[in-house]
Amino acid sequence: MTEESHEDFEAQLPVSERVAATSFAHPSERVAACILDFYQIEWRYEPTTFPLEWDRQGNVLTSFAPDFYLPEFDLYIELTTMNQKLVTKKNRKVRRLKELYPDINIKILYQKDFRKLLFKYGIPVASRHHSEGGGLDAAVSDPGTDA
Amino acid sequence: MTVTFPDERMDRVLFSEEQVTGAVARLGGEITADYAGRDLVLITVLKGGAIFLADLCRAIDLPLTVDFMAISAYGPGAAGAVRITKDLDDAIEGRDVLIVEDIIDTGLTLSYLLRVLRQRRPASLAVCTLLDKDARRIADLPIEYRGFSVPDRFVVGYGLDLEGLWRNVPYIATLNDDIWDG
């Protein structure tokens, strides 16, 4: 996929001003925000950092900031679009989060889930090379119309 | 029973025609019992829900009306936000509205639909879906009537399409994972 053609494809997707103004850590998070905006679902990007591990002095050693919070559903969403074998560490964090904060609702969308979601909306995907951080990008192909 | 699929991308029958017919009859019976004496209107979202609605309304032994909506979907070329592309023909204020869906997946479309219809002040608003695929549910919404829970597979048939095709097959089939996995 060339840089130029990728931009051509992205230009066809609706992007809100808010998404355009937000700096996302990964392109897949940007696509997810676009989808939420399209369906008028209120979202906040990485609004909360949950401490998960402390040293004896009470300093935070490990923390976790889920990607999105959806106030309407009181739900955190974490996108894990890296290769499945690399998600063990993140799974451990989410497990710990649930132990420490049992009232928090969090859902993980794995690479497979995200691929299926993009397919559903007629958005083809391409895997990014590990040297580019891994994960998924919207890819270029004939745009579908029936989502 | 062996089925010859009309499309090689179909994988296996998830629910046979008999199972679908049985689920529709069961749901029709439940709705008949719950809505007796009420002012029922069934609303579905085109195009997927039309087949299910056609059968379900005939399994409900009550006076009722039907109405249809169409809603834009996210994707290349879509406008900036979801919008109604075909609105209801009749007002629903004060009526008992039952949304009839072929499948609920992420719940994002249904979430929008519920928000829109609530503003029109129906007497009640409930949801009936033939298929409930909750593996990737984002908008967790109440579903009063459910035909089947389905695994996280793409499905086709009985209103559900693949590139516009196969809505007319009488069973529900899963699609080969190659369809989305490249």
Side-chain angles (χ1 to χ4, degrees):
Chain A
M1 161 173 80
T2 65
E3 188 67 26
E4 185 184 12
S5 56
H6 178 77
E7 286 173 2
D8 287 348
F9 175 78
E10 289 212 330
Q12 299 173 50
L13 292 169
V15 177
S16 71
E17 287 180 17
R18 188 177 171 206
V19 167
T22 304
S23 178
F24 294 98
H26 193 278
S28 58
E29 295 166 1
R30 184 168 177 270
V31 176
C34 287
I35 294 171
L36 292 170
D37 263 355
F38 182 84
Y39 287 101
Q40 301 174 8
I41 306 289
E42 190 188 342
W43 54 269
R44 295 173 197 159
Y45 181 63
E46 296 187 342
T48 314
T49 300
F50 295 95
L52 297 181
E53 193 183 351
W54 298 262
D55 66 13
R56 289 182 180 177
Q57 285 73 45
N59 300 309
V60 175
L61 295 175
T62 311
S63 60
F64 180 52
D67 296 324
F68 293 97
Y69 177 64
L70 312 183
E72 188 180 346
F73 306 107
D74 187 23
L75 176 70
Y76 287 90
I77 294 179
E78 175 66 14
L79 287 179
T80 305
T81 57
M82 60 188 87
N83 193 296
Q84 194 70 33
K85 65 186 174 189
L86 300 175
V87 304
T88 309
K89 194 174 169 185
K90 194 170 277 188
N91 279 340
R92 202 175 296 137
K93 281 190 171 184
V94 171
R95 256 199 318 273
R96 187 68 181 140
L97 176 80
K98 288 178 176 174
E99 287 168 5
L100 291 171
Y101 309 95
D103 293 336
I104 296 296
N105 298 313
I106 183 165
K107 190 169 188 72
I108 308 179
L109 288 181
Y110 293 102
Q111 183 183 82
K112 178 187 66 170
D113 301 319
F114 197 65
R115 264 184 187 272
K116 286 185 177 179
L117 191 65
L118 294 185
F119 177 83
K120 172 186 160 78
Y121 291 120
I123 305 170
V125 292
S127 298
R128 300 168 81 208
H129 192 268
H130 188 67
S131 63
E132 297 172 314
L136 301 172
D137 268 345
V140 180
S141 89
D142 295 333
T145 54
D146 188 9
Chain B
M1 187 183 74
T2 304
V3 173
T4 303
F5 292 123
D7 189 311
E8 63 182 13
R9 293 169 292 182
M10 290 184 190
D11 181 30
R12 70 179 181 90
V13 173
L14 186 61
F15 300 111
S16 67
E17 182 175 1
E18 291 73 23
Q19 287 174 302
V20 171
T21 302
V24 172
R26 171 176 59 80
L27 292 169
E30 292 173 12
I31 293 164
T32 299
D34 292 348
Y35 282 86
R38 298 165 68 180
D39 185 15
L40 178 61
V41 53
L42 305 182
I43 291 173
T44 199
V45 179
L46 297 170
K47 303 173 184 170
I51 307 289
F52 178 39
L53 176 76
D55 285 344
L56 181 67
C57 72
R58 288 177 289 176
I60 299 171
D61 188 18
L62 294 172
L64 58 81
T65 62
V66 299
D67 212 335
F68 301 89
M69 291 183 96
I71 295 173
S72 63
Y74 184 79
V82 61
R83 63 191 175 86
I84 296 167
T85 56
K86 186 242 173 272
D87 207 343
L88 299 174
D89 291 331
D90 302 315
I92 58 168
E93 185 171 351
R95 302 196 65 192
D96 293 293
V97 173
L98 184 60
I99 298 173
V100 176
E101 287 270 28
D102 51 348
I103 187 167
I104 298 174
D105 185 356
T106 61
L108 294 176
T109 305
L110 179 61
S111 167
Y112 170 75
L113 187 60
L114 285 170
R115 212 177 307 134
V116 166
L117 295 182
R118 249 184 234 122
Q119 290 170 356
R120 301 181 184 187
R121 305 200 304 188
S124 67
L125 187 56
V127 177
C128 172
T129 186
L130 180 63
L131 305 179
D132 179 13
K133 184 161 77 174
D134 67 357
R136 280 175 291 129
R137 184 70 40 81
I138 294 171
D140 198 10
L141 303 160
I143 299 171
E144 285 78 5
Y145 304 95
R146 178 184 288 105
F148 303 104
S149 290
V150 293
D152 189 17
R153 300 285 304 273
F154 281 105
V155 290
V156 67
Y158 199 72
L160 295 141
D161 75 305
L162 174 61
E163 296 165 354
L165 295 171
W166 314 128
R167 295 186 196 274
N168 57 320
V169 300
Y171 50 81
I172 295 166
T174 53
L175 294 174
N176 195 310
D177 279 345
D178 293 348
I179 193 85
W180 60 271
D181 205 19

